[in-house]
Coordinates of all heavy atoms in Angstrom, one line a residue:
R1 N -73.5 48.6 -13.5 CA -73.0 49.9 -13.3 C -73.3 50.4 -11.9 O -74.4 50.2 -11.4 CB -73.6 50.9 -14.3 CG -73.5 50.5 -15.7 CD -72.7 51.5 -16.5 NE -72.7 51.1 -17.9 CZ -71.6 51.1 -18.5 NH1 -70.5 51.6 -18.0 NH2 -71.6 50.8 -19.8
E2 N -72.3 51.0 -11.3 CA -72.4 51.3 -9.8 C -71.7 52.7 -9.6 O -70.8 53.1 -10.3 CB -71.7 50.3 -9.0 CG -72.0 48.9 -9.2 CD -71.1 47.9 -8.5 OE1 -69.9 47.9 -8.7 OE2 -71.7 47.2 -7.7
F3 N -72.1 53.3 -8.5 CA -71.4 54.4 -8.0 C -70.5 53.9 -6.9 O -70.9 53.0 -6.1 CB -72.3 55.5 -7.3 CG -73.0 56.3 -8.3 CD1 -74.4 56.2 -8.4 CD2 -72.4 57.2 -9.2 CE1 -75.1 57.0 -9.3 CE2 -73.1 58.0 -10.1 CZ -74.4 57.9 -10.1
I4 N -69.2 54.3 -6.8 CA -68.3 53.9 -5.7 C -68.2 55.1 -4.8 O -67.9 56.2 -5.2 CB -67.0 53.5 -6.3 CG1 -67.1 52.4 -7.3 CG2 -66.1 53.0 -5.1 CD1 -65.9 52.0 -8.1
V5 N -68.5 54.8 -3.5 CA -68.6 55.9 -2.5 C -67.8 55.6 -1.3 O -67.7 54.5 -0.9 CB -70.1 56.1 -2.1 CG1 -70.3 57.2 -1.2 CG2 -71.0 56.3 -3.4
L12 N -65.4 50.9 1.2 CA -65.9 51.5 0.0 C -67.3 50.9 -0.2 O -67.5 49.7 0.0 CB -65.0 51.1 -1.2 CG -63.7 51.7 -1.2 CD1 -62.9 51.1 -2.5 CD2 -63.7 53.2 -1.3
F13 N -68.3 51.7 -0.6 CA -69.6 51.3 -0.8 C -69.9 51.4 -2.2 O -69.5 52.3 -2.9 CB -70.6 52.2 0.0 CG -70.4 52.2 1.5 CD1 -69.4 53.1 2.1 CD2 -71.1 51.3 2.3 CE1 -69.2 53.1 3.4 CE2 -70.9 51.3 3.7 CZ -69.9 52.2 4.2
F14 N -70.7 50.4 -2.7 CA -71.0 50.3 -4.1 C -72.5 50.4 -4.2 O -73.3 49.6 -3.7 CB -70.5 49.0 -4.7 CG -69.0 48.9 -4.7 CD1 -68.4 48.5 -3.5 CD2 -68.3 49.2 -5.8 CE1 -67.0 48.4 -3.5 CE2 -66.9 49.1 -5.8 CZ -66.3 48.7 -4.7
R24 N -73.2 46.6 -2.1 CA -72.2 45.8 -1.4 C -71.2 46.8 -0.8 O -71.2 48.0 -1.1 CB -71.5 44.8 -2.2 CG -70.7 45.4 -3.4 CD -70.2 44.4 -4.4 NE -69.5 45.0 -5.5 CZ -68.2 45.3 -5.6 NH1 -67.4 44.9 -4.6 NH2 -67.7 45.8 -6.6
V26 N -66.9 46.9 0.7 CA -65.6 46.1 0.9 C -64.8 47.0 1.9 O -64.8 48.2 1.8 CB -64.8 45.8 -0.4 CG1 -65.6 44.9 -1.3 CG2 -64.4 47.1 -1.1
N40 N -60.5 59.2 0.6 CA -61.0 60.4 0.1 C -60.6 60.5 -1.4 O -59.7 59.8 -1.8 CB -60.2 61.5 0.9 CG -60.8 62.9 0.6 OD1 -62.0 63.1 0.4 ND2 -59.9 63.9 0.6
E41 N -61.4 61.3 -2.1 CA -61.1 61.6 -3.5 C -60.9 60.3 -4.3 O -59.8 60.0 -4.8 CB -59.9 62.6 -3.6 CG -60.1 63.9 -3.0 CD -59.0 64.9 -3.2 OE1 -58.2 64.7 -4.1 OE2 -58.9 65.8 -2.4
L42 N -61.9 59.6 -4.5 CA -61.8 58.3 -5.2 C -61.8 58.5 -6.7 O -62.4 59.4 -7.3 CB -63.1 57.5 -4.9 CG -63.4 57.3 -3.5 CD1 -64.7 56.4 -3.4 CD2 -62.3 56.6 -2.7
E43 N -61.0 57.7 -7.4 CA -60.9 57.7 -8.9 C -60.9 56.3 -9.3 O -60.2 55.4 -8.7 CB -59.5 58.4 -9.3 CG -59.4 59.8 -8.9 CD -60.3 60.8 -9.6 OE1 -60.8 60.5 -10.7 OE2 -60.5 61.9 -9.1
F44 N -61.6 56.0 -10.4 CA -61.6 54.6 -10.9 C -60.7 54.7 -12.1 O -60.9 55.4 -13.1 CB -63.0 54.2 -11.3 CG -63.1 52.8 -11.7 CD1 -63.1 51.8 -10.7 CD2 -63.2 52.4 -13.0 CE1 -63.2 50.4 -11.1 CE2 -63.3 51.1 -13.4 CZ -63.3 50.1 -12.4
M45 N -59.6 53.8 -12.1 CA -58.6 53.9 -13.1 C -58.1 52.5 -13.4 O -57.6 51.8 -12.5 CB -57.5 54.8 -12.6 CG -56.4 55.0 -13.6 SD -55.1 56.1 -13.0 CE -54.3 55.1 -11.7
D46 N -58.2 52.1 -14.6 CA -57.7 50.8 -15.1 C -58.2 49.6 -14.2 O -57.4 48.7 -13.8 CB -56.1 50.7 -15.1 CG -55.6 51.7 -16.1 OD1 -56.2 51.9 -17.2 OD2 -54.5 52.3 -15.9
G47 N -59.5 49.7 -13.8 CA -60.1 48.6 -13.1 C -59.8 48.6 -11.6 O -60.2 47.8 -10.8
L48 N -59.1 49.7 -11.1 CA -58.8 49.8 -9.7 C -59.5 51.1 -9.1 O -59.7 52.1 -9.9 CB -57.3 49.9 -9.4 CG -56.5 48.7 -9.9 CD1 -55.0 49.1 -9.7 CD2 -56.9 47.5 -9.1
V49 N -59.7 51.1 -7.8 CA -60.2 52.3 -7.2 C -59.0 53.0 -6.4 O -58.4 52.3 -5.5 CB -61.3 52.0 -6.1 CG1 -61.8 53.3 -5.5 CG2 -62.5 51.3 -6.8
C50 N -58.6 54.1 -6.9 CA -57.5 54.8 -6.3 C -58.1 55.9 -5.3 O -59.0 56.6 -5.6 CB -56.7 55.5 -7.3 SG -55.9 54.3 -8.5
C51 N -57.5 55.9 -4.1 CA -58.0 56.7 -3.0 C -56.9 57.5 -2.4 O -55.8 57.0 -2.1 CB -58.5 55.8 -1.8 SG -59.5 54.4 -2.3
N52 N -57.1 58.8 -2.3 CA -56.2 59.7 -1.5 C -56.5 59.4 0.0 O -57.7 59.2 0.4 CB -56.6 61.1 -1.8 CG -55.8 62.1 -1.0 OD1 -54.6 62.1 -1.0 ND2 -56.5 63.0 -0.3
I59 N -51.4 57.8 -1.7 CA -52.5 57.3 -2.5 C -52.4 55.8 -2.6 O -51.3 55.3 -2.8 CB -52.4 57.9 -4.0 CG1 -52.6 59.4 -3.9 CG2 -53.5 57.3 -4.9 CD1 -52.4 60.2 -5.2
I60 N -53.5 55.1 -2.4 CA -53.5 53.7 -2.6 C -54.6 53.3 -3.7 O -55.6 54.0 -3.8 CB -53.8 52.9 -1.3 CG1 -55.1 53.2 -0.7 CG2 -52.7 53.2 -0.3 CD1 -55.5 52.3 0.4
C61 N -54.2 52.3 -4.4 CA -55.2 51.8 -5.5 C -55.5 50.4 -5.1 O -54.7 49.5 -4.8 CB -54.5 51.8 -6.8 SG -54.1 53.5 -7.4
V62 N -56.8 50.1 -5.0 CA -57.3 48.8 -4.5 C -58.2 48.1 -5.5 O -58.8 48.7 -6.3 CB -58.1 49.1 -3.2 CG1 -57.3 49.7 -2.1 CG2 -59.4 49.9 -3.4
D63 N -58.2 46.8 -5.3 CA -59.1 45.9 -6.1 C -60.5 46.1 -5.6 O -60.8 45.9 -4.4 CB -58.6 44.5 -5.9 CG -59.5 43.5 -6.6 OD1 -60.7 43.6 -6.7 OD2 -58.9 42.5 -7.2
P64 N -61.4 46.5 -6.5 CA -62.8 46.8 -6.0 C -63.5 45.6 -5.5 O -64.5 45.7 -4.8 CB -63.5 47.5 -7.2 CG -62.7 47.1 -8.4 CD -61.3 46.8 -7.9
S65 N -63.1 44.4 -5.9 CA -63.8 43.2 -5.5 C -63.4 42.8 -4.1 O -64.2 42.4 -3.3 CB -63.4 42.0 -6.4 OG -63.9 42.3 -7.7
S66 N -62.1 42.9 -3.8 CA -61.6 42.4 -2.5 C -61.3 43.6 -1.5 O -61.2 43.3 -0.3 CB -60.3 41.6 -2.7 OG -59.2 42.5 -3.2

Side-chain angles (χ1 to χ4, degrees):
R1 307 241 183 224
E2 309 170 300
F3 287 115
I4 304 171
V5 180
L12 292 177
F13 298 88
F14 296 81
R24 63 189 178 92
V26 296
N40 190 35
E41 297 182 22
L42 308 179
E43 301 289 339
F44 190 76
M45 183 176 72
D46 296 328
L48 300 174
V49 181
C50 297
C51 315
N52 175 55
I59 295 172
I60 63 172
C61 297
V62 300
D63 180 318
S65 297
S66 67

